[in-house]
Amino acid sequence: MTDFSHKPTLTGDRVVLRPLTAADTETMAAVIDDPETARLTGSAGHPPFSIERLRAWYASRAEQTDRLDLGLVDRASGELVGELVLHEWDEPNRSCGFRIAIGPRGRDRGLGTQATRLLLGYGFERLGLHRIHLEVYAFNPRALRVYERVGFVREGVGREALLHEGEWIDAVRMAVLAPEWARHRGRVDGGRTDGGERGGGERGGGGAGIYTP
């Protein structure tokens, strides 16, 4: 049985994923307000969230029973540099959406790749999910490559899903299934670690759709 009420701490070689709290508000506000994060999540041009709204949001993450929000910590520095989320829980079909946002201090070092593998592993192996899906805008090809490297498969395109600076941008739909994960454990690139991930296409946010606390 899937249990989102438990908020785990997941540890990798270079990252730790841990529960988010109200104390993380200011750090996450900087991540969310970063122009590159806003662009890649389709939030550019939207009014910023108030600190009060964000504080209430992060204070309530531990109470959620239908989603999992975890902070991304760089083990080398101990800094919180972003977040990963399993949300849009479809209980009858054991399916969840995935979202990631990484601030400037956590980019281009493979942290998001390792963090994504950790959370996918938890989703499939501990939560019993069957399907994890996402959307990523077509102007983010580096993120597309990272997602494919960890096992996501392109399923389709939401045509002209985002109007960005006068241009219509497609959203690429991707998913990974439990049987696929069981075969590759997020290493469809032949098991490369540092060499294949360094500078691994992690720029800001990975999930399409306006950031909405």
Side-chain angles (χ1 to χ4, degrees), residues 146-180:
V146 170
Y147 290 138
E148 288 176 329
R149 184 181 301 144
V150 301
F152 282 94
V153 176
R154 301 188 193 209
E155 294 186 330
V157 175
R159 297 178 300 158
E160 299 187 358
L162 173 70
L163 181 60
H164 176 72
E165 296 181 351
E167 181 181 359
W168 288 106
I169 308 298
D170 293 343
V172 180
R173 297 168 180 160
M174 310 181 76
V176 57
L177 306 178
E180 296 167 343

Side-chain angles (χ1 to χ4, degrees), residues 37 49 51 53 61 71 100 102 125 130 169:
T37 303
F49 300 108
I51 286 293
R53 181 175 177 180
R61 295 307 84 200
I100 183 172
I102 305 175
E125 298 166 22
H130 176 70
I169 308 298

Side-chain angles (χ1 to χ4, degrees), residues 193-208:
T193 55
D194 288 347
E197 294 172 12
R198 198 170 299 280
E202 297 151 359
R203 304 291 301 172

